[in-house]
């Protein structure tokens, strides 16, 4: 059995150790923020944060994550208490179909948590592994810049650190 | 340009009169190219490969000058080099040149055909392949006695070529020409690091010239590589494909590295889809066979980023943020034992630290 700390809670995972993290999050823990896109780590829709770094959950078996901390979209804010990244995406109306957006937010969140002053260039470079077929790229960039402004004074926000 | 001696900054070679080479005559340009002396008479560091460009013909040297003078001038000065004393004194380069620089134009070998000679001219001169693919001595000069025995460039291993090659698959001319022009080959994998840029450049070179280079390089011999490798897998590890794009993972071995391979790597690398859409066959991987772990570690940690352009190119997610140092070592040990029949590399932990630091 694998133990993970998911959004701050210690969880014992029933699924077999070779199960990709994405399936565990969605099917076992009911956290549907991360999406199945390609299953090959090539589209970014499944991105979550592990120990502060953005990773593709579809190609990450839980076996290699024993005892590590996982943050999903549900961990950076809820419908009742939106996080800065989520607020910014809503304000900028950056989602069209929205399928890729969770992954985009998670990677942007990981980037801004370690570099709240990330330049436009580094935001673009960081999000390069994420595909969006609706084409809201310019709004996504605006949303991330907006979130950065909000996150800057309180980068020590406990949510990003756990 | 990071070198074992310090950082050297390449200078402005646009025709800007103040900061570039706009005031350079053709003779000054050709002298710099072949003798490593700038317009003011200062010695240039051999990071600029004049030890190779000395082979370049008059016609090509003049053509290069004409081309450089035709591009738009840009005003920009390189920062000063970061080299320790006494290397920061350019006069020391006079001694280096005395020892190591053999100034001579290329001379064709009349016993070989035109294509071979063309290939050798390009490989030794403008291509300067040996600058990375040959080992260097303590003074940073190529070891002529060990030409193409493998070298290092910008944190990547430049594999041995010819007889010293560790490639499990013998390179033939068609495969090498294809690899040089496209940056990947289904049986040989993907060019990464500085070689990715080389392949990008070669994609714009006359295909006949790329073939000539491949022709010459293949004539140098083939090491231990096999000729009879099938394009698709039919050996151990063949897996049925599951529905959708992901293949089923095999049963998990008890050995930690094998378990990581089975759960993390096998769904692409054992899925029977050839490059560029599947993973390369690791039993055919030079990175796994090589004497140093540099490239394997770089690939595991960073992956292969998507390249721009319309044609399909291999891509791989990096696992540096998923796997910890111990897991990467276990995995490499497994790959090394299973596919190369050899033991884990010495100095593996150092290679991982370097790959993580270099991101």
């Amino acid at each position: 059995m694998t133990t993970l700390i998911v959004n701050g809670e210690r969880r014992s995972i029933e699924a077999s150790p070779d199960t990709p993290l994405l399936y565990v999050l969605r099917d076992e823990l009911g956290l549907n923020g991360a999406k199945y896109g390609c299953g090959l780590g090539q589209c970014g829709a499944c991105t979550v944060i592990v120990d502060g770094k953005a990773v593709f959950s579809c190609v990450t078996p839980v076996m290699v994550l024993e005892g590590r901390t996982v943050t999903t979209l549900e961990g950076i804010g809820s419908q009742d208490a939106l996080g800065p990244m989520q607020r910014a995406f809503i304000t900028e109306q950056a989602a069209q179909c929205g399928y890729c957006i969770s992954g985009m937010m998670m990677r942007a969140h990981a980037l801004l948590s370690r570099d709240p002053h990330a330049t436009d260039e580094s935001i673009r470079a960081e999000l390069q592994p994420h595909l969006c077929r609706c084409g809201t790229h310019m709004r996504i960039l605006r949303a991330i810049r907006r979130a950065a402004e909000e996150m800057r004074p309180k980068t020590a926000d406990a949510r990003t650190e756990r | 340009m990071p070198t074992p001696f310090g950082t050297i900054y390449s200078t402005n070679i646009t025709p800007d009169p103040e900061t570039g080479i706009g005031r350079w005559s053709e003779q000054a340009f050709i002298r710099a190219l072949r003798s490593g002396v700038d317009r003011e008479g200062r010695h240039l560091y051999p990071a600029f490969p004049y030890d190779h460009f000395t082979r370049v013909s008059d016609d090509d040297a003049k053509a290069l000058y004409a081309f450089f003078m035709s591009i738009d001038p840009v005003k920009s000065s390189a920062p000063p080099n970061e080299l320790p004393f006494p290397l920061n004194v350019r006069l020391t380069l006079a001694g280096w040149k005395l020892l190591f620089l053999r100034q001579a134009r290329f001379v064709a070998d009349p016993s070989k055909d035109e294509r071979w000679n063309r290939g050798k001219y390009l490989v030794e001169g403008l291509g300067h392949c040996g600058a990375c693919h040959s080992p260097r001595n303590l003074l940073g000069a190529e070891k002529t006695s060990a030409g193409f025995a493998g070298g290092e460039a910008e944190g990547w291993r430049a594999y041995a070529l010819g007889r010293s090659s560790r490639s499990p698959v013998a390179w033939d001319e068609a495969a090498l020409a294809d690899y040089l022009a496209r940056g990947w080959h289904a049986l040989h994998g993907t060019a990464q690091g500085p070689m990715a840029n080389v392949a990008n450049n070669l994609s714009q070179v006359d295909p006949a010239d790329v073939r000539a280079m491949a022709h010459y390089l293949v004539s140098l011999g083939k090491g231990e590589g096999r000729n009879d490798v099938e394009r698709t897998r039919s050996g151990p590890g063949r897996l049925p494909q599951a529905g959708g794009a992901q293949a089923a993972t095999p049963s998990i071995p008890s050995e930690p590295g094998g378990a990581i391979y089975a759960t993390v790597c096998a769904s692409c690398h054992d899925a029977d889809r050839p490059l560029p859409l599947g993973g390369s066959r690791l039993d055919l991987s030079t990175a796994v066979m090589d004497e140093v772990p540099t490239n394997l570690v770089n690939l595991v940690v960073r992956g292969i980023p998507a390249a721009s352009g319309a044609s399909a190119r291999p891509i791989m997610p990096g696992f540096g943020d998923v796997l910890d140092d111990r897991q990467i070592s276990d995995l490499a040990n497994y790959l090394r034992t299973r596919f190369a029949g050899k033991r884990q590399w010495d100095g593996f932990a150092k290679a991982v630290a370097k790959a993580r630091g270099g991101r």
Side-chain angles (χ1 to χ4, degrees):
Chain A
M1 191 175 290
T2 317
T3 306
L4 300 176
I5 296 149
V6 182
N7 297 332
E9 275 178 55
R10 182 172 294 272
R11 307 295 295 257
S12 296
I13 305 304
E14 309 266 321
S16 84
D18 60 340
T19 313
L21 174 63
L22 176 64
Y23 299 29
V24 168
L25 294 172
R26 294 179 59 89
D27 300 344
E28 191 173 328
L29 305 180
L31 299 167
N32 291 318
K35 299 287 184 274
Y36 180 95
C38 65
L40 296 165
Q42 300 194 1
C43 77
C46 68
T47 301
V48 299
I49 298 175
V50 173
D51 289 342
K53 305 278 179 59
V55 309
F56 300 127
S57 64
C58 74
V59 290
T60 304
V62 287
M63 186 193 82
V64 300
L65 299 179
E66 176 59 45
R68 294 170 69 183
T69 63
V70 178
T71 308
T72 70
L73 183 66
E74 293 85 349
I76 62 167
S78 64
Q79 244 171 344
D80 305 328
L82 296 167
M85 188 64 71
Q86 294 154 326
R87 246 192 321 273
F89 270 71
I90 293 169
T91 307
E92 293 294 345
Q93 288 292 291
Q96 187 165 320
C97 89
Y99 204 77
C100 69
I101 295 294
S102 159
M104 297 254 195
M105 283 199 271
M106 296 316 288
R107 189 175 296 274
H109 198 272
L111 170 67
L112 295 180
S113 299
R114 72 172 182 272
D115 179 12
H117 299 280
T119 59
D120 251 28
E121 200 185 0
S122 72
I123 295 171
R124 281 169 182 267
E126 184 74 13
L127 287 180
Q128 197 258 350
H130 291 254
L131 304 182
C132 164
R133 298 205 299 187
C134 298
T136 61
H137 300 75
M138 300 316 287
R139 284 170 180 249
I140 291 168
L141 286 171
R142 280 209 299 274
I144 296 170
R145 282 196 292 267
R146 176 182 286 272
E149 276 167 34
E150 206 180 319
M151 286 170 75
R152 234 166 260 154
K154 42 180 173 169
T155 44
D157 185 342
R159 231 179 252 133
T160 68
E161 296 301 314
R162 65 191 178 202
Chain B
M1 185 183 289
T3 78
F5 307 100
T7 304
I8 291 174
Y9 292 92
S10 45
T11 52
N12 184 347
I13 49 170
T14 71
D16 180 62
E18 270 83 48
T19 61
I21 57 171
R23 293 208 183 100
W24 290 38
S25 66
E26 187 183 72
Q27 282 127 309
F29 175 84
I30 294 177
R31 182 174 72 160
L33 191 71
R34 287 171 170 170
S35 315
V37 176
D38 75 4
R39 178 168 170 266
E40 285 73 37
R42 288 175 305 192
H43 290 295
L44 299 173
Y45 289 98
F48 174 57
Y50 46 80
D51 50 339
H52 288 276
F53 294 159
T54 181
R55 306 262 174 271
V56 171
S57 71
D58 290 347
D59 282 354
D60 282 348
K62 287 176 182 170
L64 278 171
Y65 177 75
F67 170 71
F68 280 117
M69 288 305 150
S70 78
I71 63 178
D72 289 336
V74 177
K75 199 174 277 304
S76 167
S77 293
N81 294 327
E82 292 155 21
L83 294 167
F85 181 83
L87 300 177
N88 59 353
V89 181
R90 286 182 184 265
L91 207 56
T92 55
L93 292 166
W96 190 92
K97 286 179 176 178
L98 199 62
L99 289 169
F100 302 117
L101 178 62
R102 297 285 164 268
Q103 293 198 46
R105 301 300 90 75
F106 175 77
V107 180
D109 178 347
S111 73
K112 305 281 189 179
D113 65 19
E114 203 178 317
R115 202 150 68 103
W116 186 92
N117 277 304
R118 176 71 180 160
K120 185 170 198 244
Y121 168 74
L122 292 169
V123 163
E124 290 190 347
L126 292 170
H128 66 288
C129 307
C132 293
H133 287 277
S134 295
R136 290 178 181 268
N137 65 21
L138 288 175
L139 294 172
E142 283 174 40
K143 289 184 189 165
T144 42
S145 58
F148 296 127
E152 202 209 290
E154 295 167 40
W156 289 81
R157 165 86 163 153
Y159 294 133
L161 309 177
R163 274 193 302 278
S164 322
S165 169
R166 296 290 177 109
S167 172
V169 186
W171 285 97
D172 61 36
E173 189 179 315
L176 187 52
D178 207 36
Y179 177 87
L180 290 173
R182 277 201 306 180
W184 64 275
H185 182 274
L187 293 178
H188 292 279
T190 310
Q192 288 295 292
M195 192 63 200
N197 296 332
V198 171
N200 271 340
N201 291 340
L202 288 176
S203 71
Q204 298 168 47
V205 167
D206 180 356
D209 277 342
V210 177
R211 273 200 304 276
M213 291 171 78
H215 179 71
Y216 168 69
L217 286 167
V218 165
S219 80
L220 298 175
K222 68 177 184 67
E224 304 285 301
R226 285 151 45 208
N227 289 313
D228 56 346
V229 180
E230 295 287 327
R231 199 158 263 279
T232 53
R233 170 187 297 274
S234 57
R238 188 191 176 106
L239 292 170
Q241 260 194 264
Q246 261 174 324
T249 54
S251 59
I252 305 176
S254 57
E255 182 199 346
I260 293 169
Y261 178 79
T263 59
V264 180
C265 317
S267 69
C268 284
H269 286 276
D270 260 345
D272 221 3
R273 293 187 305 272
L275 254 55
L277 302 174
S280 62
R281 286 178 50 176
L282 296 181
D283 59 327
L284 305 182
S285 163
T286 310
V288 175
M289 308 298 157
D290 199 29
E291 355 176 351
V292 292
T294 314
N295 288 9
L296 180 68
V297 171
N298 285 347
L299 289 164
V300 170
V301 168
R302 301 175 203 173
I304 298 171
S308 52
S311 62
R313 304 270 310 256
I315 174 174
M316 170 183 155
F319 290 90
D321 293 332
V322 169
L323 302 174
D324 63 24
D325 290 4
R326 176 61 190 268
Q327 288 166 329
I328 292 175
S329 176
D330 287 344
L331 172 63
N333 188 37
Y334 170 78
L335 295 175
R336 185 86 169 141
T337 315
R338 173 172 163 195
F339 294 128
K342 290 181 179 152
R343 291 183 12 191
Q344 175 69 300
W345 290 276
D346 293 333
F348 189 82
K350 219 165 133 189
V352 175
K354 213 168 156 190
R356 289 195 188 281
R359 276 196 299 164

